[in-house]
Amino acid sequence: MDLGNWRDFFYADYVKKAMPGLNSRNQYRDCIVYLKKLSTYPEGLNMARKIAQEWRETYRNRRAMRDELSKAGF
């Protein structure tokens, strides 16, 4: 596995594990920063968009999270 793929999976794994425990706009914003970093790497944009969509479906009642995703371009 090359370094780029490892980095992509590291960021993806981190944000996926972090989101369930978050409950404030600031925490969402901090987590989404890593999603934005993921989107800058090759193949990372597709992965980041997929994660954002999964969050929208899983956490439908988190308006602040959805708002922060939109502000970040997801």
Side-chain angles (χ1 to χ4, degrees), residues 6 10 14 18-19 21-22 41 48 57-59 66 70 73:
W6 179 83
F10 174 78
Y14 174 77
M19 186 53 75
L22 305 181
Y41 300 120
E57 293 170 6
T58 303
Y59 307 110
R66 290 192 323 242
S70 293

Side-chain angles (χ1 to χ4, degrees), residues 1-8:
M1 168 169 34
D2 69 4
L3 182 60
N5 287 340
W6 179 83
R7 183 178 46 225
D8 292 353

Side-chain angles (χ1 to χ4, degrees), residues 45-57:
L45 180 58
N46 291 333
M47 195 179 298
R49 286 180 177 162
K50 182 179 176 187
I51 292 168
Q53 185 58 37
E54 288 173 5
W55 287 348
R56 281 192 173 89
E57 293 170 6

Side-chain angles (χ1 to χ4, degrees), residues 22-67:
L22 305 181
N23 60 12
S24 74
R25 183 175 294 270
N26 285 335
Q27 290 174 331
Y28 298 144
R29 192 177 304 127
D30 291 343
C31 186
I32 291 170
V33 164
Y34 291 101
L35 200 61
K36 286 291 281 185
K37 284 183 182 183
L38 173 63
S39 71
T40 65
Y41 300 120
E43 299 301 317
L45 180 58
N46 291 333
M47 195 179 298
R49 286 180 177 162
K50 182 179 176 187
I51 292 168
Q53 185 58 37
E54 288 173 5
W55 287 348
R56 281 192 173 89
E57 293 170 6
T58 303
Y59 307 110
R60 293 179 186 264
N61 295 330
R62 295 184 180 186
R63 290 185 204 132
M65 181 205 66
R66 290 192 323 242
D67 185 43

